[in-house]
């Protein structure tokens, strides 16, 4: 019996030894210093609004979103919100959270992302089980598409009800922000100023609904694509423009072949950067 227990103990030690040498992710500070999950959580615990930037198809990012939210909810009053829900879908989302409709009805009544069941349903169900508000923060995609084709001015033609599903007009906009300028650079000459305005319409709207639903002495956890909050711009630029008095934190998700050191290009991207092994399987 003792021999069997020794073999089991040796096997576990060997397994964990190899696991520690091949981590799935490493958390870094903005300057590239490795930081523990516990220390990151200690910082996040004191913030009013947290922007959790994800890679939409990354399983580790989605798992971390769940774990961070669940752990914070043990001590903080929480409000959740996400880019993945458009503002005009708030009612069916509320109905699901209240238990008035089931998951199948939510899928019918709301425009859910293709990876909703695997990547976002756990967060919504967490909110439901803990009776937390979950805010649909994004501009309806059809309106962002309109901006992409005709610029901000096309939004003036919408009805009062349609305008209620976005940030108030006229939306502030700074085309000189590096992340917006980089969109055109990445498009290699195929992008347009209207494309950048469409991106800004999403950032402005998400910021608007975050602040509209934020409550004092609460932590608002918002899930969005990393690009919407990277380099302290995007959504955060709009948030700070309206409420510079609040305490913010940003999280970015990146992938690297080597996790031992944060690449220079990934530094200063957010307060905390979750660096994930490039070999990690994507959810789609």
């Amino acid at each position: 019996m003792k021999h069997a227990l020794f073999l089991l103990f040796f096997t576990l030690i060997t397994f964990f030894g190899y696991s520690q040498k091949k981590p799935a992710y490493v958390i870094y500070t903005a300057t590239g210093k490795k930081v523990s999950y516990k220390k990151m959580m200690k910082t996040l615990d004191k913030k009013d609004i947290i922007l959790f930037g994800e890679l939409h198809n990354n399983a580790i990012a989605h798992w971390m979103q769940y774990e961070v939210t669940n752990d914070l909810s043990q001590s903080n009053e929480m409000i959740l919100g996400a880019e993945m829900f458009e503002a005009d879908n708030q009612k069916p989302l509320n109905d699901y959270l209240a238990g008035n409709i089931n998951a199948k009805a939510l899928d019918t009544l709301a425009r859910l992302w293709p990876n909703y069941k695997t990547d976002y349903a756990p967060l919504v169900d967490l909110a439901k089980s803990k009776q937390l508000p979950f805010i649909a923060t994004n501009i309806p995609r059809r309106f962002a598409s309109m901006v992409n084709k005709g610029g901000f001015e096309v939004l003036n033609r919408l009805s009062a009800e349609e305008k209620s599903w976005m940030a108030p007009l006229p939306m502030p906009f700074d085309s000189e922000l590096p992340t917006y300028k980089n969109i055109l650079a990445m498009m290699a000459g195929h992008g347009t100023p209207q494309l950048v305005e469409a991106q800004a319409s999403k950032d402005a709207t998400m910021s608007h609904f975050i602040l509209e639903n934020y409550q004092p002495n609460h932590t608002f956890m918002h899930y969005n694509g990393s690009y919407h909050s990277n380099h302290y711009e995007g959504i955060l630029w709009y948030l700070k423009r309206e409420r510079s008095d609040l305490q913010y934190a940003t999280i970015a998700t990146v992938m690297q072949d080597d996790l031992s050191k944060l690449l220079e290009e990934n530094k200063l991207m957010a307060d905390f950067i979750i660096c994930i092994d490039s070999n990690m399987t994507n959810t789609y």
Side-chain angles (χ1 to χ4, degrees):
M1 182 65 177
K2 289 183 179 180
H3 180 68
L5 288 175
F6 174 78
L7 287 177
L8 176 60
F9 178 74
F10 180 78
T11 301
L12 288 173
I13 291 295
T14 303
F15 172 77
F16 286 119
Y18 280 118
S19 297
Q20 290 171 357
K21 294 177 182 178
K22 286 289 290 182
Y25 72 93
V26 176
I27 303 173
Y28 288 95
T29 64
T31 57
K33 181 180 178 181
K34 291 182 180 180
V35 64
S36 68
Y37 177 84
K38 183 178 180 180
K39 191 168 184 179
M40 178 182 74
M41 292 300 295
K42 187 176 180 179
T43 298
L44 296 180
D45 182 69
K46 302 173 184 177
K47 302 302 181 180
D48 299 310
I49 296 174
I50 302 167
L51 302 179
F52 198 128
E54 66 173 41
L55 300 178
H56 295 317
N57 63 353
N58 190 276
I60 291 292
H62 295 302
W63 171 68
M64 286 288 286
Q65 286 173 333
Y66 185 94
E67 292 299 315
V68 169
T69 304
N70 188 47
D71 288 345
L72 280 177
S73 71
Q74 307 303 317
S75 57
N76 295 20
E77 294 291 329
M78 302 287 292
I79 303 168
L80 312 184
E83 169 194 0
M84 301 80 201
F85 287 93
E86 298 162 35
D88 59 335
N89 284 171
Q90 186 68 61
K91 186 181 184 307
L93 179 56
N94 286 346
D95 285 341
Y96 177 74
L97 294 172
N100 297 328
I101 62 174
N102 59 22
K104 185 176 181 180
L106 177 64
D107 193 14
T108 300
L109 297 171
R111 295 182 299 278
L112 302 181
W113 284 25
N115 59 324
Y116 171 79
K117 290 183 180 180
T118 55
D119 299 338
Y120 305 112
L123 296 171
V124 174
D125 288 338
L126 178 66
K128 184 178 181 180
S129 67
K130 292 180 175 289
Q131 298 183 310
L132 306 177
F134 200 115
I135 310 303
T137 62
N138 209 355
I139 187 172
R141 66 189 73 176
R142 60 189 182 277
F143 299 150
S145 179
M146 288 170 57
V147 176
N148 186 29
K149 295 176 182 177
F152 281 126
E153 57 270 20
V154 300
L155 299 176
N156 293 320
R157 302 198 297 263
L158 299 176
S159 69
E161 181 183 30
E162 290 170 326
K163 289 177 182 177
S164 72
W165 299 326
M166 64 185 70
L169 301 177
M171 295 182 190
F173 176 58
D174 184 355
S175 62
E176 292 302 307
L177 289 175
T179 49
Y180 288 158
K181 294 178 72 173
N182 191 49
I183 291 175
L184 295 178
M186 290 190 298
M187 295 297 290
H190 297 288
T192 66
Q194 290 77 23
L195 173 63
V196 181
E197 290 181 12
Q199 176 82 359
S201 73
K202 298 177 182 180
D203 294 337
T205 297
M206 286 188 271
S207 169
H208 169 70
F209 285 113
I210 290 171
L211 292 178
E212 185 173 76
N213 290 278
Y214 171 74
Q215 298 177 37
N217 302 316
H218 283 63
T219 300
F220 196 120
M221 173 68 73
H222 189 263
Y223 317 108
N224 52 264
S226 244
Y227 201 84
H228 284 289
S229 53
N230 279 355
H231 302 292
Y232 306 98
E233 294 181 4
I235 301 169
L236 187 61
W237 183 84
Y238 284 97
L239 289 171
K240 286 187 171 182
R241 188 177 183 275
E242 297 297 322
R243 292 292 305 271
S244 60
D245 58 307
L246 296 177
Q247 296 296 310
Y248 300 99
T250 57
I251 300 171
T253 305
V254 301
M255 300 187 76
Q256 293 184 185
D257 294 335
D258 180 6
L259 303 188
S260 64
K261 182 179 180 181
L262 190 66
L263 296 176
E264 288 296 321
E265 65 198 61
N266 290 329
K267 291 182 180 179
L268 303 178
M269 190 172 283
D271 295 318
F272 297 101
I273 298 115
I274 300 173
C275 189
I276 299 169
D277 193 305
S278 297
N279 289 328
M280 178 57 57
T281 301
N282 292 331
T283 57
Y284 64 89

